[in-house]
Amino acid sequence: MRLSVFLIGLLLASPLAAGERAVAPGTGSLAAAIAGAAPGDVLVLADGVYAGPVVIDRSLTISGPRGAVVDGQGRGSVMTISAADVTLTGFTVTGSGRVNQDLDAGVKILEGADRARVEKLLVTGNMHGIDVHGGHDAAISGNEIIGTDSPRMNERGNGIYVWNSPGTLLENNVIRYGRDGIFSNASADSIYRGNVMRDLRFAVHFMYTRNTEVSGNISIGNHLGFAIMFSNKAKILDNLSLGDREHGLMLNYANNADVTGNLVRGGTKKCLFIYNAHKNLIWNNRFEGCGIGIHFTAGSEKNVLTGNAFIANREQVKYVGTRNMEWSHEGRGNFWSDHPAFDLNGDGIADSFYRPNDLMDQILWSQPAASLLIGSPAVQLVRWSQRDFPATLPGGVRDSAPLMRPLTISVPPEILGFEAEAAGRWAEGNHDDTDPDNLAAH
């Protein structure tokens, strides 16, 4: 009985063994192996250089060690996947063309190439790293993607570009240099989680993206962490933005988002920027050590802010407008580190409301030279009158139920060194020639 089971196992295994083919390095060897393979075959690369570009037009698995290098020799995309159910794993992809408008990439996944798997590759020295260009349900996981650090940042390629590719999973990738770490354009119903992105323009950049989750990602030392623009129903959950120079998180024409559990720390300008964004739930985030904690503008309406912590920002809130904004929800507001409050009944809610902006703040924002008068009796009289006669107050932000204690969000110990490095670099003025005033326009 045992012998017959053993023989059956051998018979079942033999077709799989026949489908595994070793491919030696050399000019044309990989292209020839693809052309001669049957769907379902596994091509195993050895250490050495394989000349590209190549097109994978049938369902194959191509695997190999990092020492196996597929080199596109500066022409177009190095590896183009045009068939469904292709898997690439383990090796190195380099040497794409440099034509940005053609989206030259290390790996390109075309429309119809559904369920592609790109795993544990080193993708380096390409214009774009991985371009998911129309294929559905791709899984891009565990890759190291190193872009270029020249010429100008806006002229570089993206680490991962997702266009019109629903169901994409981007997970546990490490992306450094280039333009944007992840650029999602006109795509939907995807998950981007656990990625680490450094030294970029934007870590994550959404344009016309809907119903996509961005969770557990780490952005370090970029110009902008998470830019959610012209998008709907995004879930921005449990991400870290550490030392991002311009904004940690931006909602620009973004609606119906769930922004929860994020830490933005050490940004030199704004932790959170909200511009013409509506019906967003922003709760249980920590915004710390930025020039401005939250900049709220352009008529954004029906946003809920509750449970957030605003800590040691030079300006906690910048809101210039005439409307009254309430930033508490169902009896629970936010923590403000500059609110000298008491809690006599011990319910965790401050006994007095918090109002970060008054008429003098708005004058100072529009007329910075007026800061010379900040200690004058006239200014103090205006502030006293606003406090004792609320009818004289302009529209602005009010938190009627400030919290007495902030929430805490931890940073992995291995990330703290990268955060310190980014802070030192910005302090020294060591940055490229990207124009920060044009960030939101791209």
Side-chain angles (χ1 to χ4, degrees):
M1 178 67 179
R2 291 180 180 177
L3 180 60
S4 62
V5 171
F6 177 71
L7 291 174
I8 291 171
L10 285 179
L11 290 172
L12 292 173
S14 58
L16 295 176
E20 185 173 288
R21 301 165 181 249
V23 183
T27 301
S29 63
L30 180 55
I34 293 169
D41 280 356
V42 178
L43 305 183
V44 181
L45 310 183
D47 286 344
V49 177
Y50 297 78
V54 296
V55 176
I56 306 166
D57 59 357
R58 60 205 71 189
S59 301
L60 299 173
T61 294
I62 303 177
S63 67
R66 283 285 177 93
V69 179
V70 182
D71 189 339
Q73 305 176 89
R75 293 179 291 144
S77 292
V78 183
M79 304 186 79
T80 299
I81 301 174
S82 63
D85 301 305
V86 170
T87 296
L88 308 179
T89 181
F91 51 92
T92 297
V93 179
T94 191
S96 80
R98 298 292 175 181
V99 183
N100 207 340
Q101 57 266 36
D102 290 346
L103 297 177
D104 289 344
V107 177
K108 184 182 292 290
I109 302 169
L110 298 179
E111 184 177 1
D114 299 335
R115 299 175 298 281
R117 300 289 181 267
V118 180
E119 305 167 347
K120 300 179 181 178
L121 299 185
L122 172 60
V123 183
T124 183
N126 304 290
M127 173 56 73
H128 298 268
I130 298 171
D131 176 17
V132 189
H133 210 82
H136 294 197
D137 301 315
I140 314 298
S141 60
N143 303 283
E144 183 178 3
I145 302 170
I146 304 173
T148 61
D149 58 2
S150 63
R152 293 170 59 89
M153 182 172 279
N154 285 338
E155 296 171 0
R156 304 171 195 168
N158 303 304
I160 303 175
Y161 179 31
V162 182
W163 177 82
N164 193 25
S165 299
T168 299
L169 171 65
L170 308 180
E171 185 172 35
N172 298 332
N173 301 286
V174 176
I175 305 171
R176 191 174 190 189
Y177 302 126
R179 185 171 55 189
D180 298 342
I182 296 170
F183 180 30
S184 178
N185 185 14
S187 202
D189 304 316
S190 300
I191 297 175
Y192 308 156
R193 67 186 176 209
N195 305 285
V196 178
M197 293 156 283
R198 303 172 57 198
D199 302 314
L200 299 153
R201 184 184 68 162
F202 301 162
V204 174
H205 184 188
F206 276 14
M207 293 289 289
Y208 309 105
T209 292
R210 67 186 184 281
N211 195 33
T212 290
E213 175 183 315
V214 178
S215 60
N217 301 283
I218 302 176
S219 170
I220 308 172
N222 302 304
H223 282 267
L224 198 155
F226 302 90
I228 312 304
M229 304 172 67
F230 300 95
S231 295
N232 192 37
K233 295 184 178 179
K235 295 181 179 179
I236 314 301
L237 313 175
D238 304 320
N239 302 285
L240 304 180
S241 166
L242 306 173
D244 289 326
R245 187 180 177 205
E246 299 295 324
H247 316 327
L249 173 61
M250 177 172 68
L251 302 178
N252 182 1
Y253 289 85
N255 303 319
N256 303 296
D258 182 355
V259 181
T260 308
N262 303 284
L263 169 64
V264 179
R265 183 165 74 187
T268 57
K269 290 197 175 178
K270 302 170 187 178
C271 284
L272 172 61
F273 181 39
I274 299 177
Y275 183 92
N276 199 20
H278 308 280
K279 299 181 182 179
N280 299 293
L281 176 60
I282 302 167
W283 64 291
N284 284 10
N285 305 283
R286 184 175 172 116
F287 303 111
E288 179 177 0
C290 297
I292 298 173
I294 176 171
H295 185 178
F296 190 90
T297 188
S300 301
E301 296 181 356
K302 296 183 180 179
N303 296 286
V304 173
L305 287 93
T306 182
N308 304 289
F310 294 87
I311 299 173
N313 302 296
R314 286 194 296 275
E315 291 181 41
Q316 297 281 44
V317 177
K318 182 171 183 178
Y319 170 69
V320 180
T322 59
R323 296 175 59 246
N324 291 307
M325 310 290 296
E326 174 58 50
W327 283 0
S328 64
H329 181 66
E330 296 181 349
R332 185 170 184 261
N334 306 274
F335 176 83
W336 307 92
S337 62
D338 60 338
H339 184 38
F342 297 94
D343 180 17
L344 297 180
N345 63 2
D347 65 355
I349 305 296
D351 295 333
S352 59
F353 68 84
Y354 176 80
R355 187 181 179 94
N357 304 146
D358 61 13
L359 180 60
M360 287 310 305
D361 286 329
Q362 298 192 37
I363 292 172
L364 293 171
W365 292 331
S366 60
Q367 303 292 331
S371 60
L372 297 173
L373 304 175
I374 195 67
S376 70
V379 170
Q380 299 307 313
L381 178 61
V382 170
R383 285 192 157 152
W384 170 82
S385 66
Q386 291 179 131
R387 184 177 63 249
D388 284 22
F389 302 97
T392 65
L393 285 166
V397 170
R398 175 185 169 115
D399 185 341
S400 297
L403 303 180
M404 292 299 297
R405 293 181 179 83
L407 82 164
T408 59
I409 298 175
S410 62
V411 176
E414 63 272 18
I415 297 299
L416 294 174
F418 294 142
E419 181 184 16
E421 177 187 336
R425 185 166 62 252
W426 294 135
E428 293 169 1
N430 181 17
H431 56 86
D432 57 50
D433 54 6
T434 299
D435 182 355
D437 292 332
N438 292 330
L439 283 173
H442 294 280

